[in-house]
């Protein structure tokens, strides 16, 4: 029996799942159509362990962050490339209440790994910080470096195919699946929001959440780390910035919108004392695959155990994918279980597919 696993999609989800499976000795083939609809290729790649609105840790942060650090460090070594960077996220408080919440949390040992109360003179010089600000320890993965480098690695192992996967060509057999002549024991959909178009997965509550992002230069801004006034401005290693992101639910394809661009610029300006000169290098847009309960979706189809899914990363692919790719891989190679809270079986399939 052929023990190959086909993964559709080389975004964050597909890449990290492929990596974990290969580490466990599995034969993997990743199919991607050249990032045509990739959210990962255009995402800022940040991680942030804190939810601003309620000032609490983001879901499973204490599990996800060690896994994130370990996995991307391993990948930097494997690919011989630098793409993981720590960044301080400086959040402007929108009110006295949120400032008070922060100052209480910073003294709480449950948060001490993530929060800091430290002066940021460069920010004070330019920001409208009426209610003050707080610092959070985060970072980013430079995805335009990581994704192509990982693709090259897959190619060097004969484990990558640039192609458009068409479900019509998928045959289910007694031993697994065959797609375009490639036999496999399992096939796993990690193709982002496009998974919603699959006859096997269209019943899942995955929403398309459109987001615009700007890549800019701003010579008169000297902000390091991440400036956040309700939207973020990320200072990249080369001195340019990424700025985002908008949230739209009626734009169903990843096409940049003029309205989104204006929203981003207006919001940034509202956080600064003086309007900066912005040189827009490029506007990007992507679709976040968002599950109804904002948790990843993984596991195998109830009626077709050879067909799997790794999806639903929403706004937090960078943090979620390393931990849950490891868990998914272990369920296949060590026969451990997928947690109920992320298992695809938590959603009922009322269709026959
Ligand atoms: C503007 C914006 C900013 C964001 N910033 C962040 C951030 O800072 N931090 C963070 O954690 N998350 C961020 N996100 C969310 C993040 O992008 C997603 O969580 C993540 O990229 C989802 O990854 P994925 O691998 O599931 O899907 P994708 O990245 O969409 O990957 C799917 C891949 O499958 C390919 N594909 C699709 N269909 C087919 C097919 N039929 N045949 C072959 N290939 C196919 C696609 O081209 C793509 O390469 C952001 C999203 C947006 C839109």
């Amino acid at each position: 029996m052929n023990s190959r696993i086909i993964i559709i999609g080389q975004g964050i989800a597909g890449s990290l799942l492929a990596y974990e499976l290969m580490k466990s000795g599995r034969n993997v083939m990743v199919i991607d159509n050249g990032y045509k609809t990739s959210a990962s290729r255009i995402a800022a790649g940040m991680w942030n362990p804190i939810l601003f609105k309620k000032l609490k840790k983001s879901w499973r942060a204490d599990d996800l962050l060690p896994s994130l650090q370990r996995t991307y460090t391993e990948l930097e070594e494997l690919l011989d490339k630098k793409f993981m960077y720590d960044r301080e996220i400086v959040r402007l408080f929108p009110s006295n209440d949120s400032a008070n919440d922060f100052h209480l949390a910073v003294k709480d040992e449950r948060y001490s790994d993530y929060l800091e109360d430290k002066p940021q003179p460069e920010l004070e010089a330019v920001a409208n910080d009426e209610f003050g600000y707080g610092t959070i320890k985060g970072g980013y993965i430079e995805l335009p470096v990581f994704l192509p480098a990982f693709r090259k690695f897959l190619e060097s192992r004969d484990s990558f195919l640039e192609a458009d996967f068409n479900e019509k060509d998928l045959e289910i057999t007694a031993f697994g699946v065959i797609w375009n002549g490639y036999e496999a024991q399992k096939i796993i959909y990690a193709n982002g929001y496009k998974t919603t178009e699959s006859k096997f997965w269209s019943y899942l509550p995955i929403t398309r959440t459109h987001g615009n992002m700007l890549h800019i230069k701003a010579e008169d801004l000297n902000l390091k780390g991440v400036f956040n006034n309700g939207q973020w401005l990320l200072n990249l290693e080369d001195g340019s910035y990424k700025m985002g992101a908008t949230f739209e639910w009626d734009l169903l394809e990843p096409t940049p919108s003029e309205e989104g661009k204006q929203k981003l610029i207006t919001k940034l300006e509202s956080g600064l004392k003086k309007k900066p000169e912005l040189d827009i290098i490029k506007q990007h847009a992507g679709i976040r695959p968002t599950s109804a309960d904002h948790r990843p979706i993984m596991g195998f189809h109830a009626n077709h155990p050879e067909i799997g899914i790794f999806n639903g990363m929403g706004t937090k692919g960078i943090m979620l994918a390393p931990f849950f790719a490891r868990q998914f891989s272990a369920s296949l190679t060590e026969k451990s279980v997928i947690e109920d809270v992320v298992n695809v079986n938590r959603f009922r399939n009322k269709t026959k597919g």
Side-chain angles (χ1 to χ4, degrees):
M1 187 174 69
N2 192 318
S3 63
R4 180 190 281 138
I5 296 180
I6 296 177
I7 297 174
I8 314 162
Q10 197 239 323
I12 302 166
S15 297
L16 292 203
L17 183 59
Y19 172 60
E20 289 296 341
L21 286 166
M22 288 168 96
K23 243 179 29 177
S24 307
R26 295 301 296 254
N27 173 2
V28 166
M29 188 177 72
V30 180
I31 305 167
D32 193 281
N33 54 15
Y35 310 123
K36 262 191 212 158
T37 58
S38 173
S40 306
R41 191 70 179 75
I42 65 99
M46 290 179 294
W47 71 85
N48 169 11
I50 297 294
L51 296 177
F52 290 132
K53 273 193 188 137
K54 299 170 203 152
L55 203 83
K56 61 176 199 174
K57 281 185 205 174
S58 82
W59 183 66
R60 303 284 291 272
D62 293 335
D63 294 327
L64 303 185
L65 282 177
S67 179
L68 174 154
Q69 291 286 350
R70 191 175 53 243
T71 309
Y72 294 116
T73 303
E74 280 172 17
L75 282 163
E76 283 188 331
E77 277 166 23
L78 176 76
L79 305 174
D80 196 20
K81 289 254 184 253
K82 173 88 186 137
F83 43 77
M84 178 164 62
Y85 299 97
D86 290 333
R87 283 290 182 271
E88 288 181 344
I89 303 167
V90 184
R91 165 69 166 157
L92 295 189
F93 300 131
S95 65
N96 275 330
D97 284 349
S98 64
N100 290 340
D101 288 348
F102 183 90
H103 295 305
L104 284 176
V106 94
K107 294 188 194 113
D108 182 333
E109 63 178 27
R110 288 171 302 164
Y111 291 90
S112 55
D113 282 350
Y114 305 134
L115 301 181
E116 264 183 301
D117 202 358
K118 65 183 255 192
Q120 302 276 0
E122 281 161 354
L123 174 116
E124 285 177 26
V126 297
N128 283 328
D129 57 345
E130 185 186 352
F131 300 106
Y133 55 84
T135 303
I136 295 152
K137 293 177 206 165
Y140 79 102
I141 301 298
E142 201 163 1
L143 290 161
V145 173
F146 165 62
L147 292 173
F150 191 68
R151 171 179 165 153
K152 249 191 179 165
F153 166 78
L154 291 171
E155 283 168 342
S156 73
R157 305 283 170 109
D158 281 334
S159 296
F160 184 86
L161 187 68
E162 177 154 343
D164 248 312
F165 170 82
N166 189 332
E167 209 166 60
K168 285 196 198 105
D169 304 324
L170 182 68
E171 194 187 324
I172 299 178
T173 68
F175 306 105
V177 296
I178 303 179
W179 178 79
N180 274 1
Y182 292 95
E183 284 182 48
Q185 189 188 18
K186 309 249 178 220
I187 185 163
I188 298 176
Y189 284 67
N191 56 334
Y193 76 95
K194 284 286 179 185
T195 299
T196 57
E197 293 168 12
S198 159
K199 68 176 178 195
F200 301 107
W201 301 118
S202 56
Y203 76 92
L204 288 172
I206 298 176
T207 305
R208 299 181 180 201
T209 314
H210 183 282
N212 283 283
M213 197 267 292
L214 295 177
H215 184 195
I216 59 168
K217 279 190 183 158
E219 300 295 343
D220 55 346
L221 265 187
N222 183 24
L223 289 172
K224 301 286 176 229
V226 183
F227 170 69
N228 188 304
N229 68 325
Q231 90 183 18
W232 44 260
L233 181 73
L234 163 69
N235 184 224
L236 301 174
E237 278 299 288
D238 67 1
S240 65
Y241 297 89
K242 282 186 175 172
M243 169 172 144
T246 53
F247 286 79
E248 298 278 354
W249 289 268
D250 53 354
L251 301 174
L252 300 179
E253 295 300 332
T255 311
S257 80
E258 181 58 30
E259 196 190 335
K261 178 169 115 186
Q262 291 311 327
K263 259 191 205 166
L264 291 174
I265 294 171
T266 309
K267 183 70 185 169
L268 174 70
E269 288 173 352
S270 73
L272 298 171
K273 289 177 180 151
K274 182 170 154 269
K275 275 189 188 179
E277 284 288 323
L278 302 182
D279 174 7
I280 298 176
I281 302 168
K282 186 145 191 194
Q283 181 178 1
H284 300 276
I287 304 281
R288 310 165 182 93
T290 312
S291 66
D293 55 9
H294 296 270
R295 303 287 175 251
I297 299 180
M298 59 199 243
F300 290 93
H301 196 282
N303 305 332
H304 302 289
E306 54 289 293
I307 297 180
I309 183 166
F310 190 44
N311 212 303
M313 299 295 150
T315 57
K316 295 214 171 273
I318 290 294
M319 272 175 78
L320 292 166
F323 182 86
F324 287 106
R326 169 87 194 93
Q327 183 173 119
F328 199 175
S329 165
S331 78
L332 282 165
T333 55
E334 298 158 25
K335 302 284 175 238
S336 55
V337 293
I338 292 175
E339 291 173 64
D340 291 344
V341 67
V342 293
N343 199 313
V344 64
N345 295 333
R346 71 190 185 277
F347 299 113
R348 271 191 60 212
N349 182 4
K350 292 177 193 146
T351 67
K352 287 188 189 137

